Amino acid sequence: MPARPAELAAVDTSTPAVVLKLDRNVFHHGGLGVIRSLGRLGVPVHTVCEDPLAPAAASRYVCGRWRWNPGVDDPHRIAAGLALMAQRIGRRAVLIPTDDAGALFLAEHGAPLRQWFLFPAPPPDLPRRVADKYELHLLCREWDVSTPRTMVPTSPSEARDFANQVGFPLVVKQIRPWCPTYPAGSPSTRLVRTPEQFAALMAGWPDGPGCRDAPGLMLQEYVPGDAGADWFFHGYCARDSACRPGFTGVKLRSYPPHAGLTSLGRAVDNEPLRREVGRLLTGLSYRGLLDLDLRRDARDDRYRMLDFNPRLGAQFRVFEDAAGLDVVRAAYLDLTGQPVPEEQPCPDRRLVVENYDLLAALGYRRRGELDLRGWVRSLRRMDETAWFARDDLAPFGLMWLRSGWRAFRRPFRPAARDPVGTAPRYRPGPARNRIPAPRAVTGQHRPIDTTTSDGK
């Protein structure tokens, strides 16, 4: 195991951590980042996984694997499953959601779980408001934060009028991407480049009064920008809503190209952007982990807010300051009552998500924006890889095996999944020896804390 950074050598790691994932995506690399970040400190880490061959669950740093598919539509089912997990873990644990559905559940329905789990307490309605793409647009206008022109059309004619006004390319977003009402596998963000593509999209759009919520889609102008215009911000806000730490970086490639998740990212300090985001977070009284996407507009050099994810960002490991602090470690320290070290400068670090960047490179190549030599040159110096790690090889190998099997199987039939509602099933992980001896969890715990820092 790699040695702890000197500044974190005295951290008390006796409190377990649970990685909560409700989204059925076995290739979610953010959860693996949490497992490794805390596991390398010596924290006992449990993780929720879809099936026994989920790559992240194979990490040598996993103490307990919980095979569980609770769905996202029944809060009582999720709460009951987490209570069952708490009985087995046997002590209070830090709970870290890696998707929107998990973050929204904890904010709105998590109060009774505080006797077993430690997690931030933002205003209950705030995570849903910022995760909702149109609500975020309204919040940005309220707080004088720059945002692209946006519309939720009620008819194809309104949509066409907006497209004619802002021109092409045009961005089409799912308003609430965590909802199960969207077709499986459909992208949450699409870049519509031509009027012909837009006409094909409109062919399936509902018409008539009252259909504003039916499609669940909104239209947004495409913000023009040069190379390096796509920025992201990762941070953790404690009870006073001060963001410590807060990191800024540049999205060098994404999948799908220009409209998806970061496949190649770089840590770049941007103090003006950090100040602007910090002002917004303090004003909103935000608490917890966050991941923002912004784009610098070539027309006026202002940063337009594109997305606010009220949870961990999958590429968070691109950021680690000189003291070894990342946002997940900061959250663990704060939630367990330990001091968070003063943020130190974050070196120039790069991260690649191996499976997605291969697909991204093919997409950029089709557009004439990248050739093989340029792709290989861009990968010469990597500080962090999402899947490959010399001290933890199993997830990397299993990820490529699962990717190959999925590509082979796709033309024939969909993979079988556990039915929604199955209770979580426990299996010990490779790091099982770190798990304290289980003891029954009774109701005799500290009182449930549903208060915020201002006592409300």
Side-chain angles (χ1 to χ4, degrees), residues 98-101 103-104 107 120 122-123 125-141 143 145-148 173-178 188-189 218 220 231-237 241-243 251 273-274 276-295 304-315:
T98 61
D99 51 42
D100 290 342
L104 270 55
D125 65 333
L126 184 58
R128 184 174 295 271
R129 293 185 68 193
V130 297
D132 183 299
K133 307 305 181 186
Y134 190 66
E135 282 287 328
L136 173 63
H137 171 71
L138 299 179
L139 274 174
C140 287
R141 293 177 60 182
W143 287 94
V145 173
S146 184
T147 181
K173 291 183 176 181
Q174 296 175 354
I175 298 175
R176 304 173 191 93
W178 65 88
S188 60
T189 301
M218 77 178 195
Q220 197 168 67
W231 288 75
F232 48 86
F233 179 98
H234 288 204
Y236 174 75
C237 294
S241 297
C243 194
K251 185 183 297 188
L273 180 57
R274 286 202 296 169
E276 183 176 350
V277 171
R279 176 180 64 85
L280 174 64
L281 297 174
T282 302
L284 294 175
S285 297
Y286 187 83
R287 300 177 186 92
L289 292 159
L290 66 140
D291 166 26
L292 310 182
D293 287 316
L294 309 102
R295 186 168 172 85
R304 307 277 192 253
M305 178 76 73
L306 302 181
D307 289 303
F308 190 133
N309 302 302
R311 39 79 180 163
L312 176 77
Q315 75 273 26

Coordinates of all heavy atoms in Angstrom, one line a residue, residues 98-101 103-104 107 120 122-123 125-141 143 145-148 173-178 188-189 218 220 231-237 241-243 251 273-274 276-295 304-315:
T98 N -22.4 8.8 -5.1 CA -21.7 9.1 -6.3 C -22.5 9.5 -7.4 O -22.0 9.7 -8.5 CB -20.8 7.9 -6.7 OG1 -21.6 6.8 -7.0 CG2 -19.8 7.6 -5.6
D99 N -23.9 9.6 -7.2 CA -24.8 10.0 -8.3 C -25.8 10.9 -7.8 O -26.0 11.1 -6.6 CB -25.4 8.8 -9.0 CG -26.0 7.8 -8.1 OD1 -26.7 8.2 -7.1 OD2 -25.8 6.6 -8.2
D100 N -26.5 11.6 -8.7 CA -27.5 12.6 -8.3 C -28.6 11.9 -7.5 O -29.1 12.5 -6.5 CB -28.2 13.2 -9.6 CG -27.2 14.1 -10.3 OD1 -26.2 14.5 -9.7 OD2 -27.4 14.4 -11.5
A101 N -29.1 10.8 -7.9 CA -30.2 10.1 -7.2 C -29.9 9.9 -5.7 O -30.7 10.1 -4.8 CB -30.6 8.8 -7.8
A103 N -27.6 11.6 -3.9 CA -27.5 12.8 -3.2 C -28.8 13.4 -2.9 O -29.0 14.0 -1.8 CB -26.6 13.8 -4.0
L104 N -29.8 13.3 -3.8 CA -31.1 13.9 -3.6 C -31.8 13.1 -2.5 O -32.5 13.6 -1.6 CB -31.9 13.8 -4.9 CG -31.8 15.1 -5.7 CD1 -30.4 15.5 -6.1 CD2 -32.7 14.9 -7.0
A107 N -30.5 14.2 1.0 CA -31.0 15.5 1.3 C -32.4 15.5 1.7 O -32.8 16.2 2.7 CB -30.7 16.5 0.2
P120 N -23.3 15.2 4.9 CA -23.7 16.6 5.1 C -25.2 16.9 5.1 O -26.0 16.0 4.7 CB -23.0 17.3 3.8 CG -22.0 16.3 3.4 CD -22.6 14.9 3.7
P122 N -27.3 19.8 3.7 CA -27.6 21.0 3.0 C -29.1 21.3 3.2 O -29.9 20.4 3.7 CB -27.3 20.6 1.5 CG -27.6 19.1 1.5 CD -27.1 18.6 2.8
P123 N -29.6 22.5 2.8 CA -31.0 22.7 2.8 C -31.7 21.6 2.0 O -31.3 21.3 0.9 CB -31.2 24.1 2.1 CG -29.8 24.8 2.4 CD -28.8 23.7 2.4
D125 N -34.1 21.1 0.0 CA -34.6 21.2 -1.3 C -33.5 21.7 -2.3 O -33.7 21.7 -3.5 CB -35.7 22.2 -1.4 CG -35.3 23.6 -1.0 OD1 -34.3 23.8 -0.2 OD2 -35.9 24.6 -1.5
L126 N -32.3 22.0 -1.8 CA -31.3 22.6 -2.6 C -30.6 21.7 -3.6 O -30.5 22.0 -4.8 CB -30.2 23.3 -1.7 CG -29.1 24.1 -2.5 CD1 -29.7 25.2 -3.3 CD2 -28.1 24.6 -1.5
P127 N -30.2 20.5 -3.2 CA -29.6 19.6 -4.2 C -30.5 19.3 -5.4 O -30.1 19.3 -6.5 CB -29.4 18.3 -3.4 CG -29.1 18.8 -2.0 CD -30.1 19.9 -1.8
R128 N -31.8 19.1 -5.2 CA -32.7 18.9 -6.3 C -32.8 20.2 -7.2 O -32.9 20.1 -8.4 CB -34.1 18.5 -5.8 CG -35.1 18.2 -6.9 CD -36.4 17.7 -6.4 NE -36.3 16.4 -5.7 CZ -36.3 15.2 -6.3 NH1 -36.6 15.2 -7.6 NH2 -36.2 14.1 -5.6
R129 N -32.8 21.3 -6.6 CA -32.9 22.6 -7.4 C -31.7 22.8 -8.3 O -31.8 23.2 -9.4 CB -33.1 23.8 -6.5 CG -34.4 23.8 -5.7 CD -34.5 25.1 -4.9 NE -34.7 26.3 -5.8 CZ -34.6 27.5 -5.4 NH1 -34.3 27.8 -4.1 NH2 -34.7 28.5 -6.3
V130 N -30.5 22.5 -7.8 CA -29.3 22.7 -8.6 C -29.1 21.6 -9.6 O -28.5 21.8 -10.6 CB -28.0 22.9 -7.7 CG1 -28.2 24.1 -6.8 CG2 -27.7 21.7 -6.9
A131 N -29.6 20.4 -9.3 CA -29.4 19.2 -10.2 C -30.4 19.4 -11.4 O -30.1 18.9 -12.5 CB -29.6 17.9 -9.5
D132 N -31.5 20.0 -11.1 CA -32.5 20.2 -12.2 C -31.9 21.3 -13.1 O -31.6 22.4 -12.7 CB -33.8 20.7 -11.6 CG -34.9 20.9 -12.6 OD1 -34.8 21.8 -13.4 OD2 -36.0 20.3 -12.4
K133 N -31.8 20.9 -14.4 CA -31.0 21.8 -15.3 C -31.8 23.2 -15.5 O -31.1 24.2 -15.6 CB -30.8 21.2 -16.7 CG -30.2 19.8 -16.6 CD -28.9 19.8 -15.8 CE -28.2 18.4 -15.8 NZ -27.0 18.4 -15.0
Y134 N -33.1 23.2 -15.5 CA -33.8 24.4 -15.7 C -33.8 25.2 -14.4 O -33.7 26.5 -14.4 CB -35.2 24.2 -16.2 CG -35.9 25.5 -16.7 CD1 -35.3 26.2 -17.8 CD2 -37.0 26.0 -16.0 CE1 -35.9 27.4 -18.1 CE2 -37.5 27.2 -16.4 CZ -37.0 27.9 -17.5 OH -37.6 29.1 -17.8
E135 N -34.0 24.6 -13.3 CA -34.0 25.3 -12.0 C -32.6 25.9 -11.8 O -32.5 27.0 -11.2 CB -34.3 24.3 -10.9 CG -35.8 24.0 -10.7 CD -36.6 25.1 -10.1 OE1 -36.0 25.9 -9.3 OE2 -37.7 25.3 -10.4
L136 N -31.6 25.2 -12.2 CA -30.2 25.8 -12.1 C -30.1 27.1 -12.9 O -29.5 28.1 -12.4 CB -29.2 24.8 -12.5 CG -27.7 25.3 -12.6 CD1 -27.2 25.7 -11.2 CD2 -26.8 24.3 -13.2
H137 N -30.7 27.1 -14.1 CA -30.7 28.3 -14.9 C -31.4 29.5 -14.2 O -30.8 30.6 -14.1 CB -31.4 28.0 -16.2 CG -31.6 29.2 -17.1 ND1 -30.6 29.9 -17.7 CD2 -32.8 29.9 -17.4 CE1 -31.1 30.9 -18.4 NE2 -32.5 30.9 -18.2
L138 N -32.5 29.2 -13.5 CA -33.2 30.2 -12.8 C -32.4 30.7 -11.6 O -32.4 31.9 -11.3 CB -34.6 29.7 -12.4 CG -35.5 29.3 -13.5 CD1 -36.8 28.8 -12.9 CD2 -35.8 30.5 -14.5
L139 N -31.8 29.8 -10.9 CA -30.9 30.1 -9.7 C -29.8 31.0 -10.1 O -29.4 32.0 -9.4 CB -30.4 28.9 -9.0 CG -31.3 28.2 -8.0 CD1 -30.7 26.9 -7.5 CD2 -31.6 29.1 -6.8
C140 N -29.2 30.7 -11.2 CA -28.0 31.5 -11.7 C -28.5 32.9 -12.0 O -27.8 33.9 -11.7 CB -27.4 30.9 -13.0 SG -26.5 29.4 -12.6
R141 N -29.6 33.1 -12.6 CA -30.1 34.4 -12.9 C -30.4 35.2 -11.6 O -30.2 36.4 -11.5 CB -31.4 34.3 -13.8 CG -31.1 33.8 -15.2 CD -32.4 33.6 -16.0 NE -33.1 34.9 -16.1 CZ -34.3 35.0 -16.7 NH1 -34.9 33.9 -17.2 NH2 -34.9 36.1 -16.9
W143 N -28.9 34.8 -8.8 CA -27.6 35.1 -8.1 C -26.6 35.8 -9.0 O -25.4 35.9 -8.6 CB -27.0 33.9 -7.5 CG -27.8 33.4 -6.3 CD1 -28.8 32.5 -6.2 CD2 -27.6 33.9 -4.9 NE1 -29.2 32.4 -5.0 CE2 -28.5 33.2 -4.1 CE3 -26.8 34.8 -4.3 CZ2 -28.6 33.4 -2.8 CZ3 -26.9 35.0 -3.0 CH2 -27.8 34.4 -2.2
V145 N -25.2 34.9 -11.8 CA -24.2 34.1 -12.3 C -24.5 33.9 -13.8 O -25.6 33.5 -14.1 CB -24.2 32.7 -11.5 CG1 -23.2 31.8 -12.2 CG2 -23.8 32.9 -10.1
S146 N -23.5 34.0 -14.6 CA -23.7 34.0 -16.0 C -24.1 32.5 -16.4 O -23.6 31.6 -16.0 CB -22.4 34.4 -16.8 OG -22.6 34.4 -18.2
T147 N -25.1 32.5 -17.3 CA -25.6 31.2 -17.8 C -26.1 31.3 -19.2 O -26.5 32.4 -19.6 CB -26.8 30.7 -16.9 OG1 -27.3 29.5 -17.3 CG2 -27.9 31.7 -16.9
P148 N -26.0 30.3 -20.0 CA -26.5 30.4 -21.4 C -28.0 30.7 -21.5 O -28.7 30.3 -20.6 CB -26.1 29.0 -22.0 CG -25.1 28.4 -21.1 CD -25.5 29.0 -19.7
K173 N -30.7 19.1 -23.5 CA -30.4 18.5 -22.2 C -31.7 17.8 -21.6 O -32.8 18.3 -21.7 CB -29.9 19.5 -21.2 CG -28.5 20.0 -21.4 CD -28.1 21.0 -20.3 CE -26.6 21.5 -20.6 NZ -26.2 22.3 -19.4
Q174 N -31.5 16.7 -20.9 CA -32.5 16.2 -20.0 C -32.6 17.0 -18.8 O -31.6 17.3 -18.2 CB -32.2 14.7 -19.6 CG -32.2 13.7 -20.8 CD -31.7 12.4 -20.4 OE1 -31.3 12.1 -19.2 NE2 -31.8 11.4 -21.3
I175 N -33.8 17.5 -18.5 CA -33.9 18.4 -17.3 C -33.6 17.8 -16.0 O -32.9 18.3 -15.2 CB -35.3 19.0 -17.3 CG1 -35.6 19.8 -18.6 CG2 -35.5 19.9 -16.1 CD1 -37.0 20.3 -18.7
R176 N -34.0 16.5 -15.8 CA -33.8 15.8 -14.6 C -33.2 14.4 -15.0 O -33.9 13.4 -15.0 CB -35.1 15.6 -13.8 CG -35.8 16.9 -13.5 CD -37.2 16.7 -12.9 NE -37.9 18.0 -12.9 CZ -38.7 18.4 -13.8 NH1 -39.0 17.6 -14.8 NH2 -39.3 19.6 -13.7
P177 N -31.9 14.4 -15.2 CA -31.3 13.2 -15.8 C -31.3 12.0 -14.8 O -31.0 10.8 -15.3 CB -29.9 13.6 -16.1 CG -29.6 14.8 -15.3 CD -30.9 15.5 -15.2
W178 N -31.6 12.2 -13.6 CA -31.6 11.1 -12.6 C -32.9 10.3 -12.7 O -33.0 9.2 -12.1 CB -31.3 11.6 -11.2 CG -32.4 12.4 -10.7 CD1 -33.6 12.1 -10.1 CD2 -32.5 13.9 -10.8 NE1 -34.4 13.2 -9.8 CE2 -33.7 14.3 -10.2 CE3 -31.7 14.8 -11.4 CZ2 -34.1 15.6 -10.2 CZ3 -32.1 16.2 -11.3 CH2 -33.3 16.6 -10.7
S188 N -27.6 12.3 -21.5 CA -28.3 13.4 -20.8 C -28.1 14.8 -21.5 O -28.8 15.7 -21.3 CB -27.7 13.5 -19.4 OG -26.3 13.7 -19.4
T189 N -27.0 14.9 -22.3 CA -26.7 16.1 -23.1 C -26.4 15.7 -24.5 O -25.6 14.8 -24.7 CB -25.5 16.8 -22.5 OG1 -25.9 17.2 -21.1 CG2 -25.3 18.1 -23.2
M218 N -34.8 20.3 -22.4 CA -34.7 21.8 -22.5 C -33.7 22.1 -23.6 O -32.8 21.3 -23.9 CB -34.4 22.5 -21.2 CG -33.0 22.4 -20.8 SD -32.7 23.3 -19.2 CE -30.9 23.4 -19.2
Q220 N -30.7 24.8 -25.0 CA -29.8 25.8 -24.5 C -28.8 26.2 -25.6 O -28.4 25.4 -26.4 CB -29.0 25.2 -23.4 CG -28.2 26.2 -22.5 CD -27.7 25.5 -21.2 OE1 -26.8 24.7 -21.2 NE2 -28.3 25.8 -20.0
W231 N -14.3 24.2 -18.4 CA -13.7 24.2 -17.1 C -14.6 23.4 -16.2 O -15.9 23.3 -16.4 CB -13.6 25.6 -16.5 CG -12.5 26.4 -17.2 CD1 -12.5 26.9 -18.4 CD2 -11.2 26.6 -16.6 NE1 -11.3 27.5 -18.7 CE2 -10.4 27.4 -17.6 CE3 -10.6 26.3 -15.4 CZ2 -9.1 27.8 -17.4 CZ3 -9.3 26.7 -15.2 CH2 -8.6 27.5 -16.2
F232 N -14.0 22.8 -15.1 CA -14.8 22.2 -14.1 C -14.3 22.6 -12.7 O -13.1 23.0 -12.6 CB -14.9 20.7 -14.2 CG -13.6 20.0 -14.4 CD1 -12.7 19.7 -13.4 CD2 -13.1 19.7 -15.7 CE1 -11.5 19.0 -13.6 CE2 -11.9 19.1 -15.9 CZ -11.1 18.7 -14.8
F233 N -15.2 22.5 -11.7 CA -14.9 22.9 -10.4 C -15.3 21.8 -9.4 O -16.5 21.4 -9.5 CB -15.6 24.2 -10.0 CG -15.3 24.7 -8.6 CD1 -14.4 25.7 -8.3 CD2 -16.0 24.2 -7.5 CE1 -14.1 26.1 -7.0 CE2 -15.8 24.6 -6.2 CZ -14.9 25.6 -6.0
H234 N -14.4 21.3 -8.6 CA -14.7 20.3 -7.6 C -14.4 20.9 -6.2 O -13.4 21.6 -6.0 CB -13.9 19.1 -7.8 CG -14.3 18.3 -9.0 ND1 -14.0 16.9 -9.1 CD2 -14.9 18.6 -10.1 CE1 -14.5 16.5 -10.3 NE2 -15.0 17.5 -10.9
G235 N -15.3 20.6 -5.3 CA -15.1 21.2 -3.9 C -15.9 20.4 -2.9 O -16.7 19.5 -3.2
Y236 N -15.6 20.8 -1.6 CA -16.4 20.3 -0.5 C -16.7 21.5 0.4 O -15.8 22.3 0.8 CB -15.6 19.3 0.3 CG -16.3 18.9 1.5 CD1 -17.4 18.0 1.5 CD2 -15.9 19.3 2.8 CE1 -18.1 17.7 2.6 CE2 -16.6 19.0 4.0 CZ -17.7 18.2 3.9 OH -18.4 17.8 5.0
C237 N -17.9 21.7 0.7 CA -18.4 22.7 1.6 C -18.8 22.1 3.0 O -19.6 21.2 3.1 CB -19.6 23.5 1.1 SG -19.2 24.4 -0.4
S241 N -20.6 26.5 4.9 CA -20.7 26.7 3.4 C -19.5 27.2 2.8 O -19.5 27.6 1.6 CB -21.9 27.5 3.1 OG -23.1 26.9 3.5
A242 N -18.4 27.4 3.5 CA -17.1 27.8 2.9 C -16.5 26.6 2.2 O -16.5 25.5 2.7 CB -16.1 28.3 4.0
C243 N -16.0 26.8 1.0 CA -15.6 25.7 0.2 C -14.1 25.5 0.4 O -13.2 26.2 0.0 CB -15.8 26.0 -1.3 SG -15.6 24.5 -2.4
K251 N -11.3 20.7 -19.1 CA -11.7 19.5 -19.8 C -11.0 19.5 -21.1 O -11.3 20.3 -22.0 CB -13.2 19.4 -19.9 CG -13.7 18.1 -20.5 CD -15.2 18.2 -20.7 CE -16.0 18.3 -19.3 NZ -17.4 18.2 -19.5
L273 N -12.2 32.3 -11.0 CA -13.3 31.4 -11.0 C -13.6 30.8 -9.7 O -14.8 30.7 -9.3 CB -13.0 30.3 -12.0 CG -14.1 29.2 -12.2 CD1 -15.4 29.9 -12.7 CD2 -13.6 28.2 -13.2
R274 N -12.6 30.5 -8.9 CA -12.9 30.0 -7.5 C -13.6 31.0 -6.7 O -14.5 30.6 -5.9 CB -11.5 29.6 -6.9 CG -10.9 28.3 -7.4 CD -10.0 27.7 -6.4 NE -8.8 28.5 -6.2 CZ -7.9 28.3 -5.2 NH1 -8.1 27.3 -4.4 NH2 -6.9 29.1 -5.0
E276 N -15.6 33.4 -7.7 CA -17.0 33.5 -8.2 C -17.9 32.3 -7.8 O -19.0 32.5 -7.3 CB -17.0 33.5 -9.8 CG -18.4 33.7 -10.4 CD -18.3 33.9 -11.9 OE1 -17.2 34.0 -12.5 OE2 -19.4 33.9 -12.5
V277 N -17.3 31.1 -7.8 CA -18.1 29.9 -7.4 C -18.3 30.0 -5.9 O -19.3 29.7 -5.4 CB -17.3 28.6 -7.8 CG1 -18.0 27.4 -7.2 CG2 -17.4 28.5 -9.3
G278 N -17.2 30.4 -5.1 CA -17.4 30.5 -3.7 C -18.5 31.4 -3.3 O -19.2 31.1 -2.3
R279 N -18.6 32.5 -4.0 CA -19.7 33.5 -3.6 C -21.0 32.8 -3.8 O -21.9 33.0 -3.0 CB -19.5 34.7 -4.6 CG -20.7 35.7 -4.4 CD -20.5 36.9 -5.3 NE -20.6 36.5 -6.7 CZ -21.7 36.4 -7.4 NH1 -22.9 36.7 -6.8 NH2 -21.7 36.1 -8.7
L280 N -21.2 32.1 -4.9 CA -22.5 31.4 -5.1 C -22.8 30.4 -4.1 O -23.9 30.3 -3.5 CB -22.5 30.7 -6.5 CG -23.7 29.9 -6.9 CD1 -24.9 30.7 -6.9 CD2 -23.5 29.1 -8.2
L281 N -21.8 29.5 -3.7 CA -22.0 28.5 -2.7 C -22.3 29.0 -1.4 O -23.2 28.5 -0.7 CB -20.7 27.6 -2.6 CG -20.3 26.9 -3.9 CD1 -19.0 26.1 -3.7 CD2 -21.4 25.9 -4.3
T282 N -21.7 30.1 -1.0 CA -22.0 30.7 0.3 C -23.4 31.3 0.3 O -24.2 31.2 1.3 CB -21.0 31.8 0.6 OG1 -19.7 31.3 0.7 CG2 -21.3 32.5 2.0
G283 N -23.8 31.9 -0.8 CA -25.1 32.5 -0.9 C -26.2 31.5 -0.9 O -27.3 31.7 -0.3
L284 N -25.9 30.3 -1.4 CA -26.9 29.2 -1.4 C -26.9 28.4 -0.1 O -27.8 27.6 0.0 CB -26.6 28.3 -2.6 CG -26.8 28.8 -4.0 CD1 -26.4 27.7 -5.0 CD2 -28.3 29.2 -4.3
S285 N -26.0 28.6 0.8 CA -25.8 27.8 2.0 C -25.6 26.4 1.6 O -26.1 25.5 2.3 CB -27.0 28.0 2.9 OG -27.1 29.3 3.3
Y286 N -24.8 26.1 0.6 CA -24.6 24.8 0.1 C -23.6 24.0 1.1 O -22.7 24.6 1.7 CB -23.9 24.8 -1.3 CG -23.8 23.4 -1.8 CD1 -24.9 22.8 -2.4 CD2 -22.7 22.6 -1.7 CE1 -24.9 21.5 -2.9 CE2 -22.6 21.3 -2.2 CZ -23.7 20.8 -2.8 OH -23.6 19.5 -3.3
R287 N -23.9 22.7 1.3 CA -23.0 21.9 2.1 C -22.8 20.6 1.4 O -23.8 20.0 0.9 CB -23.6 21.7 3.5 CG -23.8 23.0 4.2 CD -24.5 22.8 5.6 NE -24.8 24.0 6.2 CZ -26.0 24.7 6.0 NH1 -26.9 24.1 5.3 NH2 -26.2 25.9 6.6
G288 N -21.6 20.1 1.4 CA -21.3 18.8 0.8 C -20.4 18.8 -0.4 O -19.8 19.9 -0.7
L289 N -20.2 17.7 -1.0 CA -19.4 17.6 -2.2 C -20.1 18.2 -3.4 O -21.4 18.2 -3.5 CB -19.0 16.1 -2.5 CG -18.1 15.5 -1.5 CD1 -18.2 14.0 -1.6 CD2 -16.7 15.9 -1.8
L290 N -19.4 18.7 -4.4 CA -20.0 19.3 -5.6 C -19.1 19.2 -6.8 O -17.9 19.1 -6.6 CB -20.4 20.7 -5.3 CG -19.3 21.7 -5.1 CD1 -19.5 23.0 -5.8 CD2 -19.0 22.0 -3.7
D291 N -19.7 19.2 -7.9 CA -19.0 19.1 -9.2 C -19.7 20.1 -10.2 O -20.9 19.8 -10.5 CB -19.0 17.7 -9.7 CG -18.6 17.5 -11.2 OD1 -17.8 18.4 -11.7 OD2 -19.0 16.5 -11.8
L292 N -19.0 21.1 -10.6 CA -19.6 22.1 -11.6 C -18.9 22.0 -12.9 O -17.7 21.8 -13.0 CB -19.5 23.5 -11.0 CG -19.9 23.8 -9.6 CD1 -19.7 25.3 -9.3 CD2 -21.3 23.4 -9.3
D293 N -19.7 22.3 -14.0 CA -19.2 22.4 -15.3 C -19.5 23.8 -15.8 O -20.6 24.3 -15.7 CB -19.8 21.4 -16.3 CG -19.4 20.0 -16.1 OD1 -18.1 19.8 -15.9 OD2 -20.2 19.1 -16.1
L294 N -18.5 24.5 -16.3 CA -18.6 25.9 -16.8 C -17.9 26.0 -18.2 O -17.0 25.2 -18.5 CB -18.0 26.9 -15.8 CG -18.5 26.8 -14.4 CD1 -17.4 26.1 -13.5 CD2 -18.8 28.1 -13.8
R295 N -18.2 27.0 -18.9 CA -17.6 27.2 -20.2 C -17.3 28.7 -20.4 O -18.2 29.5 -20.2 CB -18.5 26.7 -21.4 CG -17.8 26.8 -22.8 CD -18.6 26.0 -23.8 NE -18.1 26.2 -25.1 CZ -17.1 25.5 -25.7 NH1 -16.5 24.6 -25.0 NH2 -16.7 25.7 -26.9
R304 N -19.8 30.7 -18.2 CA -21.2 30.4 -18.2 C -21.4 29.0 -17.4 O -20.7 28.1 -17.7 CB -21.8 30.2 -19.6 CG -21.5 31.4 -20.5 CD -22.5 32.5 -20.3 NE -22.5 33.4 -21.4 CZ -22.0 34.7 -21.3 NH1 -21.5 35.1 -20.1 NH2 -22.0 35.5 -22.3
M305 N -22.3 29.1 -16.4 CA -22.6 27.9 -15.7 C -23.4 26.9 -16.5 O -24.5 27.3 -17.0 CB -23.4 28.2 -14.4 CG -23.8 27.0 -13.6 SD -22.4 26.3 -12.6 CE -22.2 27.6 -11.4
L306 N -22.9 25.7 -16.7 CA -23.6 24.7 -17.5 C -24.3 23.6 -16.6 O -25.5 23.2 -16.9 CB -22.7 24.0 -18.4 CG -21.9 24.9 -19.4 CD1 -21.0 24.1 -20.3 CD2 -22.9 25.7 -20.3
D307 N -23.6 23.1 -15.6 CA -24.2 22.0 -14.8 C -23.7 22.2 -13.3 O -22.5 22.6 -13.1 CB -23.7 20.6 -15.3 CG -24.4 20.3 -16.6 OD1 -25.7 20.2 -16.6 OD2 -23.7 20.0 -17.6
F308 N -24.5 21.8 -12.4 CA -24.2 21.8 -11.0 C -24.6 20.4 -10.5 O -25.8 20.1 -10.3 CB -25.0 22.9 -10.3 CG -24.5 23.2 -8.8 CD1 -24.3 24.5 -8.4 CD2 -24.4 22.1 -7.9 CE1 -23.9 24.7 -7.1 CE2 -24.0 22.4 -6.6 CZ -23.8 23.7 -6.2
N309 N -23.6 19.6 -10.2 CA -23.9 18.2 -9.7 C -23.7 18.2 -8.2 O -22.6 18.4 -7.7 CB -23.0 17.2 -10.4 CG -23.1 17.2 -11.9 OD1 -24.2 17.0 -12.4 ND2 -22.0 17.5 -12.6
P310 N -24.8 18.0 -7.4 CA -24.6 18.1 -5.9 C -24.1 16.8 -5.3 O -24.6 16.3 -4.3 CB -26.1 18.3 -5.5 CG -26.9 17.6 -6.5 CD -26.1 17.7 -7.8
R311 N -23.0 16.4 -5.9 CA -22.4 15.1 -5.4 C -20.9 15.1 -5.9 O -20.5 16.0 -6.6 CB -23.1 13.9 -5.8 CG -23.7 13.9 -7.2 CD -22.7 13.6 -8.3 NE -23.3 13.6 -9.6 CZ -22.6 13.7 -10.7 NH1 -21.3 13.8 -10.7 NH2 -23.2 13.7 -11.9
L312 N -20.3 14.0 -5.7 CA -18.9 13.8 -6.1 C -18.8 13.9 -7.6 O -19.7 13.3 -8.3 CB -18.4 12.5 -5.6 CG -17.1 12.0 -6.0 CD1 -16.0 12.7 -5.2 CD2 -17.0 10.5 -5.8
G313 N -17.8 14.5 -8.2 CA -17.5 14.4 -9.6 C -16.6 13.2 -9.9 O -15.6 12.9 -9.1
A314 N -16.9 12.5 -11.0 CA -16.2 11.2 -11.2 C -14.7 11.4 -11.4 O -13.9 10.5 -11.1 CB -16.8 10.6 -12.4
Q315 N -14.3 12.6 -11.9 CA -12.9 12.8 -12.2 C -12.2 13.5 -11.1 O -11.1 14.1 -11.3 CB -12.7 13.6 -13.5 CG -13.0 15.0 -13.5 CD -14.5 15.3 -13.7 OE1 -15.3 14.5 -13.5 NE2 -14.7 16.5 -14.2

